[in-house]
Amino acid sequence: MHRFLITAAIATMIQLAVTAVPATAAEATKVNSFYPANKAPLPQSAYSILPLGAVMPQGWLKQQLTIQTTGLTGNLPKFWNDVGPASAWLGGKGEGWERGPYYTDGMVPLAFLTQDPELMEMARKWVGWTLDHQRLDGGIGPASCTDWWPLGLMCKTLTQYYDATGDARVIPVMTKFFAYMQVELPKRPLHEWAKMRWADTALSAIWLYNRTGNPALLEVSKLLMAQGHDYAQQFSNFQAYSKPSQGWNLENHGVNAGMAYKTPGIMFQLTGEAKYRKAVDDGISNLDKYHGQAGGTFAADECFAGRSPTQGTELCSVDESMFSFENLIAMFGDPLMSDKLERMSYNAWPGTFSPDMWAHQYDQQANQPICRISKEKWFITNGGEANLWGVEPQFGCCTANMHQGWPKFVRHLWMATPDDGLAAVTYGPCSVTAKVKGGNTVTIDVVTDYPFSDVIKMTVRTAKPVEFPLQLRIPAWAEGASVQTDKTLTPRPGSFATVSRLWSNGDTITLKLPMKIRIERRFNNSATVLRGPLVYSLRIGENWHKFRGDDAHPDYELLPTTPWNYGLILDEKNPQQSFEVVTKPLTEPVYSSKNAPVELHAKARLVPTWKEARNSADVPPVSPVQSAEPIQDIVLIPYGCAKLRITEFPVLGE
Ligand SMILES: [Zn+2]
């Protein structure tokens, strides 16, 4: 109690200090009093991103971050040289391009969200080397690195480190680096990856502008935009880029596109032009329309690959898409973007890792009943190892870049509102501690098994009663949602419900988000089953066959031990009648086939004409399909639990 009182007193002093600052042009936009958002002339942000550590994982999400820590993230430097002690990003003679910065971009937030001592030490070491080895001209990173892309990537790590620690070295180093960039860019313009991924660098420059107000940072951001690829144009005049006519190129590259979801948003930040705001929505809808996949992102193996569920989605394109949406939500506050973020984060993301997070895939498929060593695959430009499981299948970018997904998702569950309140933009078990109106610090504990459960219980902890607005996202699928405080609200799905009142210590909010079963018709009129934020897939027996590597970190084929070629018996007008929902207590690790916390029991028949092709399932036959096979019971489990899966089912006709 005493600690709270002191905190509140300091907070009040800080708030007085803030309000005592003379009015400037920067105050023309409404911003949260405690957490930076866009400063004028940038357009107003919908939300401020909270400092790293303000939202801490609880419940199954906490366990998930522990699994990641004891899995590849905590152990990779011990045996994978590209992020080992010889990294050029630590002053050695080893890897000096993107892999070091990719690793730190996820390892650093994981360290602060788990407080794992070993990770914290690594975070200090990696960030410390960059901060302590800036060259006189302002350049950062290994002297051998002349590509702007990994340098911009390292800036993303620095912003997170600063948000967590307030380390006094960060702001001067970044300021000097961007000044150097402004001088150098006209002489050494962006090319290749840096040209496509410029917005990720501009994001850090804008982050710095919002903390220092230095106008040169907007100039360098606009220079990046002028030299960078125009994704707004590409997304608004989308050329489909579907297989097989287009080969491998940077414009239809999946990871670039995942990063680029936010690029028109950055263009809007820098210009305020409506066409860029429209291009954000065009990008989201066109990627879905032409390449959308049931797991929540799009197919690109490793370039755009169309809507067939046999095509692949690269791991890096999933976590980069997640990071893009986390930033788009802060920019625009669109609840549908939050729905999209949850769909990719709770389905495609866990679906591409082994339950212990020691093995990952390069490419995942929505229909993935077989992951076998073979040359012939459905993938356009990826090889026969792309959907195997291990340390470095196909190519090591995902090995370096798999670390940011969960920690950044946790960090962005809550954001601060311009009117000094808090917004729950996505849901999961966590605690958020932040300053609200009047400078009071409150904690909200979110207790839930979401996305496996439809009940979310929040409890407010506060030293004294405090009034502030609380925004709660109501997903578009949540028909009949209710918010219960001292009264019960029934807000509209696909919106934010705002509860503005005096909150006292121990006050509770109970959110009910009814999860009705929904059916989506997808490729060849196949059916995908959804319930709440989760997509459901056929549970297939798994044989994890080690074929390479040592016992500590082997590579696996993943082979089926049960049939997969089922057609679904479906009463589409009344899908609730076609499935029996069976829920189980959460058991760690939740994202595994055997521990699946929710099962949907359904009826199906084998479809003998639907066979294996190219070492995977053939494309699903056009529905409706016929089968004379006997009716069987099948079990669907969350996509992320089903490492072998069928997600787009043929539907049996009458
Ligand atoms: Zn990758």
Side-chain angles (χ1 to χ4, degrees):
M1 185 59 80
H2 191 59
R3 185 173 63 85
F4 277 119
L5 289 172
I6 290 170
T7 311
I10 294 169
T12 307
M13 276 158 33
I14 292 168
Q15 205 230 356
L16 287 173
V18 169
T19 47
V21 171
T24 64
E27 287 173 0
T29 51
K30 196 175 175 191
V31 291
N32 185 285
S33 306
F34 315 105
Y35 304 109
N38 277 352
K39 264 187 205 297
L42 302 178
Q44 181 174 339
S45 314
Y47 300 118
S48 297
I49 292 174
L50 288 166
L52 180 58
V55 182
M56 293 298 278
Q58 304 294 347
W60 76 262
L61 267 176
K62 187 173 183 175
Q63 290 174 346
Q64 192 65 46
L65 294 199
T66 304
I67 290 169
Q68 184 178 340
T69 303
T70 54
L72 273 186
T73 307
N75 290 291
L76 203 53
K78 296 169 192 166
F79 67 91
W80 198 57
N81 286 340
D82 282 357
V83 298
S87 166
W89 289 92
L90 293 169
K93 293 198 181 336
E95 202 273 344
W97 190 50
E98 68 178 7
R99 292 190 180 177
Y102 263 151
Y103 180 62
T104 61
D105 191 35
M107 179 269 287
V108 168
L110 183 66
F112 285 98
L113 296 187
T114 58
Q115 295 289 315
D116 178 81
E118 215 176 307
L119 282 182
M120 292 289 279
E121 181 52 35
M122 281 209 289
R124 275 191 284 272
K125 186 174 77 174
W126 281 83
V127 173
W129 189 86
T130 292
L131 291 176
D132 294 339
H133 290 82
Q134 187 165 37
R135 290 180 291 281
L136 287 176
D137 61 5
I140 60 169
S144 59
C145 181
T146 55
D147 183 353
W148 291 112
W149 151 239
L151 303 178
L153 179 50
M154 183 47 92
C155 287
K156 281 166 66 190
T157 299
L158 298 182
T159 65
Q160 296 180 86
Y161 190 77
Y162 181 83
D163 281 343
T165 63
D167 189 308
R169 296 171 295 175
V170 173
I171 300 285
V173 165
M174 286 183 66
T175 301
K176 210 172 153 189
F177 171 69
F178 280 114
Y180 162 77
M181 198 175 205
Q182 198 176 0
V183 171
E184 289 294 310
L185 271 179
K187 297 184 268 179
R188 282 196 295 128
L190 302 176
H191 72 288
E192 291 192 339
W193 301 105
K195 186 172 177 176
M196 311 310 287
R197 299 173 174 186
W198 67 269
D200 278 78
T201 304
L203 190 68
S204 294
I206 292 171
W207 175 94
L208 189 57
Y209 172 75
N210 288 332
R211 280 153 186 80
T212 66
N214 177 356
L217 293 161
L218 298 185
E219 290 166 25
V220 74
S221 299
K222 285 176 185 167
L223 193 54
L224 287 164
M225 177 172 153
Q227 290 189 2
H229 179 64
D230 186 351
Y231 271 105
Q233 151 74 18
Q234 182 178 338
F235 286 163
S236 289
N237 303 288
F238 205 74
Q239 300 297 310
Y241 307 99
S242 61
K243 63 176 283 197
S245 58
Q246 313 277 330
W248 196 107
N249 68 45
L250 290 165
E251 281 183 33
N252 64 19
H253 187 274
V255 185
N256 287 349
M259 293 175 182
Y261 267 129
K262 66 183 166 302
T263 303
I266 298 283
M267 297 165 93
F268 177 77
Q269 308 298 296
L270 293 172
T271 63
E273 287 184 44
K275 68 175 179 181
Y276 296 131
R277 176 63 188 86
K278 178 180 173 294
V280 173
D281 293 336
D282 289 341
I284 295 169
S285 61
N286 281 326
L287 284 173
D288 189 49
K289 181 176 173 189
Y290 295 106
H291 307 287
Q293 289 292 317
T297 56
F298 53 84
D301 53 25
E302 68 185 47
C303 294
F304 292 146
R307 285 182 60 101
S308 163
T310 57
Q311 296 305 137
T313 295
E314 185 185 332
L315 182 152
C316 290
S317 74
V318 182
D319 59 356
E320 292 298 349
S321 297
M322 289 162 65
F323 181 64
S324 286
F325 273 83
E326 286 149 12
N327 280 283
L328 288 172
I329 291 162
M331 291 177 204
F332 303 116
D334 179 345
L336 300 183
M337 291 175 177
S338 296
D339 289 3
K340 180 107 175 138
L341 173 60
E342 282 189 356
R343 184 157 174 178
M344 60 182 79
S345 305
Y346 284 145
N347 298 286
W349 184 240
T352 205
F353 289 101
S354 63
D356 62 6
M357 290 192 82
W358 271 92
H360 70 275
Q361 295 175 291
Y362 190 85
D363 282 332
Q364 65 176 291
Q365 299 156 290
N367 282 0
Q368 177 175 278
I370 304 158
C371 304
R372 179 192 295 144
I373 304 175
S374 51
K375 283 219 169 73
E376 201 195 11
K377 291 273 163 88
W378 289 96
F379 311 137
I380 301 172
T381 54
N382 288 154
E385 294 203 359
N387 67 348
L388 301 186
W389 301 75
V391 172
E392 195 179 353
Q394 175 73 29
F395 189 68
C397 58
C398 306
T399 315
N401 188 21
M402 55 164 268
H403 314 281
Q404 64 168 319
W406 282 126
K408 290 189 187 174
F409 179 74
V410 169
R411 176 184 181 177
H412 296 95
L413 288 166
W414 286 80
M415 296 188 185
T417 64
D419 51 1
D420 292 348
L422 290 170
V425 301
T426 42
Y427 294 112
C430 68
S431 295
V432 55
T433 301
K435 286 194 173 64
V436 295
K437 248 184 193 172
N440 299 290
T441 298
V442 300
T443 295
I444 300 174
D445 296 315
V446 182
V447 178
T448 182
D449 288 343
Y450 189 90
F452 309 103
S453 154
D454 58 3
V455 180
I456 300 166
K457 191 170 176 187
M458 302 179 183
T459 307
V460 178
R461 283 191 272 146
T462 175
K464 61 176 184 183
V466 53
E467 194 209 324
F468 66 94
L470 187 65
Q471 291 188 19
L472 302 166
R473 169 182 140 263
I474 309 301
W477 47 258
E479 268 177 62
S482 66
V483 178
Q484 193 189 333
T485 54
D486 50 349
K487 51 183 175 245
T488 302
L489 307 173
T490 52
R492 186 171 57 83
S495 72
F496 277 95
T498 303
V499 187
S500 200
R501 48 163 271 186
L502 190 71
W503 299 99
S504 299
N505 192 44
D507 280 356
T508 60
I509 304 128
T510 303
L511 197 60
K512 285 198 178 133
L513 303 174
M515 295 179 176
K516 284 193 185 142
I517 287 169
R518 309 177 326 271
I519 305 295
E520 266 181 13
R521 288 289 187 153
R522 303 188 62 90
F523 190 79
N524 280 352
N525 204 28
S526 60
T528 292
V529 182
L530 299 96
R531 182 175 176 272
L534 294 181
V535 177
Y536 283 78
S537 305
L538 176 70
R539 172 187 269 155
I540 299 172
E542 299 172 354
N543 169 20
W544 291 80
H545 172 239
K546 294 180 190 179
F547 72 94
R548 192 168 59 195
D550 53 36
D551 280 348
H553 32 77
D555 290 349
Y556 302 92
E557 295 181 291
L558 185 49
L559 305 170
T561 62
T562 54
W564 53 265
N565 52 332
Y566 289 102
L568 212 50
I569 297 173
L570 188 62
D571 175 1
E572 199 162 2
K573 290 205 181 74
N574 194 1
Q576 316 309 316
Q577 299 303 315
S578 300
F579 302 91
E580 183 198 349
V581 180
V582 178
T583 57
K584 301 185 169 177
L586 259 55
T587 307
E588 184 185 353
V590 288
Y591 276 112
S592 65
S593 177
K594 74 174 168 53
N595 293 342
V598 184
E599 294 178 353
L600 304 184
H601 294 203
K603 302 281 184 199
R605 295 177 197 265
L606 286 169
V607 179
T609 51
W610 186 23
K611 293 186 161 71
E612 183 181 321
R614 300 193 208 176
N615 296 291
S616 189
D618 203 345
V619 293
V622 177
S623 292
V625 295
Q626 305 299 323
S627 169
E629 297 292 310
I631 294 177
Q632 295 184 33
D633 295 319
I634 60 167
V635 176
L636 275 56
I637 57 176
Y639 180 115
C641 299
K643 313 304 175 179
L644 290 179
R645 67 181 81 92
I646 293 296
T647 313
E648 298 202 14
F649 289 90
V651 180
L652 290 159
E654 290 302 310

